[in-house]
Amino acid sequence: MADLTTAYTPDPAEQAALRSPRPTGHGAVRAYDWIRHHADSRPGKEAVRDLGTSRRFTYAQLDRRIDAMAAYLRSIGVQRGDRVAVLAHNGVEYFDLQFACARTGAIAVLLNWRLTVNELDYILNDSSPKILVHDASFADAASELKTRCGIGTLLRIDAADPANPYEAVMTAFDGQKAEPLVLTHDDVITIMYTSGTTGHPKGAMITHGMNFWNCVNLGIPAGIGLDTVHLNVLPLFHTGGLNCYSNPVLHAGGTVVLVRTFDPGQALRVIGDPAQGITHFFGVPAPYQFMMQHPDFATTDLSRLRIAGVGGAPCALTIMQTWAERGVTMLQGFGMTETSPAAIFLEPSEALRKIGSTGKALLHTEMRIVNDEGKDCGPNEIGELWVAGPHITPGYWNKPEATKNSFEGRWLKTGDAARTDEEGFVYIVDRWKDMYISGGENVYPAEVENVLYQLPQVAEAAIIGVPSERWGEVGLAVVALKPGTTLDQVAVQVHCESRLARFKIPQQLAIVEALPRNATGKVLKRVLRDQFVGEGAPRIS
């Protein structure tokens, strides 16, 4: 494998060997500049509404900012293939930098701001960026990382500082035009580090082609167009924030509305405000759950929402049903960082009839569900979901072995357990790694969690497998309760007995204040395992 710390892609021979026999099909297709097109065609159209700073940017203004940032990057020596790291809360700066990287041939490395300095140290030493752009709130971490990781330049975003260094760069380089640079769909534009459950995170390489095909795959069924106004509450360092639906909206010429970080009350106010005109929203299940538990949920006007997408983790049926009672049909889909991310989508016309399904493969996606013998599963047989198409990552940065192990030919092995019904609709059962075996029977936590959410006391619930001398493993229910309520193991078992087979019923209950979650709201089950299944944890007999 080529040295990816100094070259932005493997050399052609090695790249061909890495991909064969799973070609992306991009070939030499040229990557086009979406923002420059809209700046020329509709310069006065609003592109980004940044509620964190109360600023609005037309496509012409965004185009000018991107040129200024591209000129600055070139002035400090950033060349084609160099990495540009970003450690910041949501803001227009993400789009400045993403598209400036496209105009210089550089690669944006988007950093999870919830990680510790030690965790970021690994990622930055792995990706070797020339510059780290950071929020003022992360200044201490950025300074330490600059020394640890040999980063040449820091650039601070500080809206509270009249001399805001980031905006000073915009002013200093304003009016400079980026020279045209020919890039293809095979060129890498972003590296997104996947959280993983063990070992170090892996940097999924995201190409221009992946971004484009995601816009096509997702934009059409989600009804994204010039009149789309999308509220983004997920962090833009995550594929769900950047690509569901922010990038597709900018590709189509619509408007992206940004909040700095998610707050359920603020999100409801923005959605309900006719002056904001929000038509599209996307979240993992947690934001929907927190909004429906907010006191303003019952009175918020949700009538302008055309699309409310959900993905990233199995969504409890009670969440979808609660929103449906307010007239909002949540549309499920499946994707992951490595699939850019859209791969499976449930058509709006099927949302109520197939509640709980993620739908069918998108237009430019192929899928299989494969059993342990590598054969295709029949209807209602659970296997691992495999996907293929032009929107699949070419691999992981600096990790050829991990790349090799993630593919079977051209098929990406997702690590998700899934099944289809008799009509071919896909249901994500759970992550393979979250499944546990009790008395020889497979238990998928998402199914049990759906049942726990039917208890009126439960605000949050997660199931993990814990060791049992008799059964091998049994279920531990980790639950956060609604204020003023109580719950015990007997009540849990009584509730589950008529709804689940005996081997699926949790045999242990732990009450916590809140479940640990990552920046997008996914429950961190590895943290729960460390807490409850670590050395010294009691065994159940």
Side-chain angles (χ1 to χ4, degrees), residues 489-541:
Q489 176 63 30
V490 173
V492 169
Q493 289 201 282
V494 169
H495 171 75
C496 292
E497 280 174 354
S498 63
R499 297 169 172 86
L500 293 170
R502 289 190 63 82
F503 68 88
K504 298 178 184 178
I505 297 174
Q507 299 299 303
Q508 194 174 13
L509 174 69
I511 305 296
V512 297
E513 289 188 6
L515 295 181
R517 295 179 182 271
N518 67 12
T520 63
K522 289 184 183 179
V523 175
L524 296 172
K525 291 193 174 180
R526 67 180 183 275
V527 174
L528 295 179
R529 293 189 191 97
D530 289 342
Q531 181 177 353
F532 294 105
V533 195
E535 187 175 343
R539 294 184 68 85
I540 302 170
S541 57

Side-chain angles (χ1 to χ4, degrees), residues 1 4 8 18 83 107-111 122-124 126-127 188 190-196 199-207 210 237 337-338 393-400 402-403 406-407:
M1 186 74 175
L4 295 186
Y8 72 105
L18 176 65
R83 274 75 65 202
I107 300 170
V109 179
L110 308 182
L111 301 172
Y122 172 81
I123 291 172
L124 291 172
D126 186 56
S127 56
V188 177
T190 311
I191 300 174
M192 290 184 172
Y193 280 80
T194 59
S195 55
H200 291 301
K202 303 189 296 290
M205 294 186 285
I206 312 301
T207 66
M210 291 172 66
F237 66 71
T337 303
E338 292 88 340
T393 182
Y396 298 105
W397 187 262
N398 284 337
K399 287 184 169 53
T403 299
S406 296
F407 286 87

Side-chain angles (χ1 to χ4, degrees), residues 217-431:
N217 253 352
L218 190 55
I220 294 172
I224 293 171
L226 290 170
D227 63 343
T228 295
V229 182
H230 168 58
L231 173 61
N232 181 77
V233 301
L234 297 180
L236 287 168
F237 66 71
H238 187 272
T239 189
L242 193 62
N243 295 310
C244 299
Y245 303 110
S246 294
N247 268 341
V249 170
L250 293 176
H251 176 261
T255 302
V256 176
V257 180
L258 297 176
V259 295
R260 186 168 170 79
T261 55
F262 172 70
D263 174 82
Q266 181 194 25
L268 288 169
R269 288 192 297 275
V270 174
I271 291 171
D273 183 356
Q276 298 289 348
I278 303 300
T279 63
H280 285 61
F281 183 84
F282 182 88
V284 296
Y288 287 102
Q289 179 182 347
F290 297 148
M291 284 192 286
M292 78 186 200
Q293 292 171 351
H294 193 276
D296 292 343
F297 179 70
T299 57
T300 298
D301 181 2
L302 305 174
S303 63
R304 283 173 292 277
L305 269 184
R306 299 179 203 160
I307 295 291
V310 65
C315 186
L317 293 178
T318 185
I319 297 176
M320 291 188 283
Q321 290 164 348
T322 300
W323 279 82
E325 290 168 2
R326 288 293 336 274
V328 177
T329 300
M330 292 169 57
L331 304 182
Q332 288 220 84
F334 168 84
M336 52 197 300
T337 303
E338 292 88 340
T339 64
S340 68
I344 299 171
F345 186 85
L346 184 63
E347 289 289 336
S349 60
E350 300 285 5
L352 292 179
R353 188 173 76 91
K354 292 291 182 179
I355 193 166
S357 171
T358 58
K360 295 186 176 183
L362 285 162
L363 178 60
H364 300 286
T365 302
E366 298 172 77
M367 56 148 282
R368 301 170 60 191
I369 296 176
V370 178
N371 63 22
D372 290 338
E373 288 74 43
K375 297 180 180 179
D376 290 337
C377 294
N380 296 311
E381 294 179 11
I382 295 174
E384 184 182 11
L385 177 65
W386 292 6
V387 294
H391 56 98
I392 306 300
T393 182
Y396 298 105
W397 187 262
N398 284 337
K399 287 184 169 53
E401 192 64 26
T403 299
K404 179 181 177 182
N405 292 338
S406 296
F407 286 87
E408 187 67 35
R410 65 191 180 89
W411 295 95
L412 173 69
K413 299 182 287 187
T414 69
D416 283 279
R419 66 175 177 86
T420 59
D421 64 16
E422 291 78 3
E423 297 179 73
F425 286 85
V426 178
Y427 294 77
I428 303 298
V429 178
D430 217 327
R431 292 291 292 170

Side-chain angles (χ1 to χ4, degrees), residues 32 102 151 163 182 201 211 221 254 263 313 335 343 410 418 430 436 451 477 521:
Y32 288 93
I151 300 171
V182 177
N211 279 349
D263 174 82
R410 65 191 180 89
D430 217 327
Y436 62 92
V451 172

